[in-house]
Amino acid sequence: MRIATFNINGVKARAQTLQSWLREDAPDVAVLQEIKSTDGAFPRDLVEDEGYTLHTHGQKGFNGVAFAAKIPLEDITRGLPGDDADEQARYIEATAIGEAGAVRICGLYLPNGNPAPGPKYDYKLAWMERLETRARAMLAEETPFLMTGDFNVIPQDEDAAAPAKWHDDALARPETRAAWRRLCNLGLTEAFRTRHPGQPGHYSFWDYQAGAWDRNDGIRIDHFLLSPWVADRMTDCTIQTEMRGREKPSDHVPVWLDLDL
DNA sequence: ATGGTTGGCGCCCAA
């Protein structure tokens, strides 16, 4: 089973990119963030014409997450538990059925949190606590699962080309990294860093501004966290860097997880 | 310290 996470930064602006990517790279499940579209306004044809089934959790203008899958997905749920007043569309879950078993896939667009400190940062930290609570629940019931998406977290300095300029940013502040470590320390495996230990220079996001891509001034913020059963079945995790150099790119690139499943 | 760019919306916000 090949799963890819991709923050597309607007489905209307990325329609052709998304369709040709599905056709050529053909993930079994594509986990999408920042569709920036309501469910009704999503151009479904571009996904369905490639043989994919689409499940969206959309919102007008901002946020929005989705699955596009060519294998069966069951029991889709929308929204992160823990705050009934939260109206932001940032979380979706589904169970993917593989040949050797099922895995619960949690697709997420974690809040950016800037400016920090402030109410947006408080929302980010509260959201991370809710995510930890959700992970604890699935571990307790021994549901094999993975969490993937745009975490808006730079886990360590080696995950940024210029780490110092991020130290006061919501993506790398000490409280953010502490919340990230609490999540990992439940017993989850961070797929990319486990497959590529100690290797700097691997990023998944480059700002549109100030020629960040041309200078390779990137950060690694799109991740996979795996429960133990899923981690045992990982065969690879890679970043599709070349996508950032194409015409009209997203500011993020896809990250791929290969499972023997 | 500032400004640089993109997307979606609607005369500015989020990233």
Side-chain angles (χ1 to χ4, degrees):
Chain A
M1 188 184 295
R2 299 197 78 210
I3 303 168
T5 180
F6 191 8
N7 180 323
I8 60 175
N9 190 20
V11 70
K12 297 174 193 75
R14 220 66 60 211
Q16 289 316 305
T17 303
L18 176 60
Q19 183 162 13
S20 57
W21 177 71
L22 289 174
R23 182 185 309 137
E24 292 162 16
D25 296 300
D28 293 307
V29 182
V31 184
L32 307 175
Q33 302 89 38
E34 280 206 271
I35 64 174
K36 294 186 174 181
S37 164
T38 59
D39 298 334
F42 194 107
R44 308 187 71 91
D45 288 355
L46 70 86
V47 171
E48 292 169 351
D49 288 352
E50 303 305 324
Y52 283 80
T53 303
L54 179 70
H55 306 275
T56 58
H57 181 38
Q59 178 179 353
K60 187 177 175 66
F62 305 101
N63 305 325
V65 290
F67 292 126
K70 59 176 188 174
I71 63 172
L73 292 186
E74 297 180 351
D75 302 323
I76 290 103
T77 57
R78 293 166 172 83
L80 180 63
D83 182 0
D84 292 340
D86 185 0
E87 293 183 345
Q88 299 194 31
R90 296 179 173 276
Y91 190 81
I92 187 169
E93 283 187 11
T95 300
I97 313 298
E99 292 168 14
V103 57
R104 190 76 175 156
I105 300 178
C106 311
L108 63 95
Y109 175 44
L110 205 147
N112 176 295
N114 282 304
K120 290 189 173 184
Y121 192 54
D122 295 340
Y123 174 65
K124 176 180 193 151
L125 294 178
W127 207 95
M128 293 182 80
E129 272 197 38
R130 290 161 60 196
L131 189 64
E132 183 186 333
T133 299
R134 181 70 190 121
R136 282 182 189 279
M138 286 185 285
L139 287 166
E141 64 195 14
E142 299 187 351
T143 299
F145 71 94
L146 62 86
M147 292 178 160
T148 188
D150 177 359
F151 279 73
N152 270 314
V153 173
I154 303 167
Q156 299 177 272
D157 279 356
E158 66 192 16
D159 299 310
K165 75 177 183 186
W166 296 98
H167 283 167
D168 292 327
D169 190 280
L171 277 62
R173 289 173 69 89
E175 304 96 311
T176 305
R177 287 182 166 171
W180 166 264
R181 284 195 305 272
R182 277 196 297 276
L183 191 57
C184 295
N185 288 340
L186 297 176
L188 305 183
T189 295
E190 203 256 275
F192 185 84
R193 194 47 81 196
T194 300
R195 292 285 302 179
H196 310 276
Q199 295 177 20
H202 294 282
Y203 312 123
S204 65
F205 168 93
W206 297 258
D207 202 296
Y208 288 126
Q209 302 183 75
W213 167 248
D214 296 325
R215 298 185 291 108
N216 194 26
D217 183 9
I219 52 178
R220 195 174 68 87
I221 58 176
D222 299 271
H223 307 299
F224 283 89
L225 292 181
L226 315 179
S227 76
W229 189 90
V230 179
D232 286 346
R233 282 151 186 84
M234 171 171 61
T235 55
D236 208 357
C237 183
T238 57
I239 300 176
Q240 195 176 358
T241 309
E242 56 88 11
M243 289 283 289
R244 189 62 176 80
R246 296 194 192 180
E247 284 294 303
K248 245 176 103 61
S250 171
D251 40 6
H252 296 250
V253 297
V255 183
W256 290 77
L257 178 75
D258 287 71
L259 295 175
D260 185 11
L261 226 184

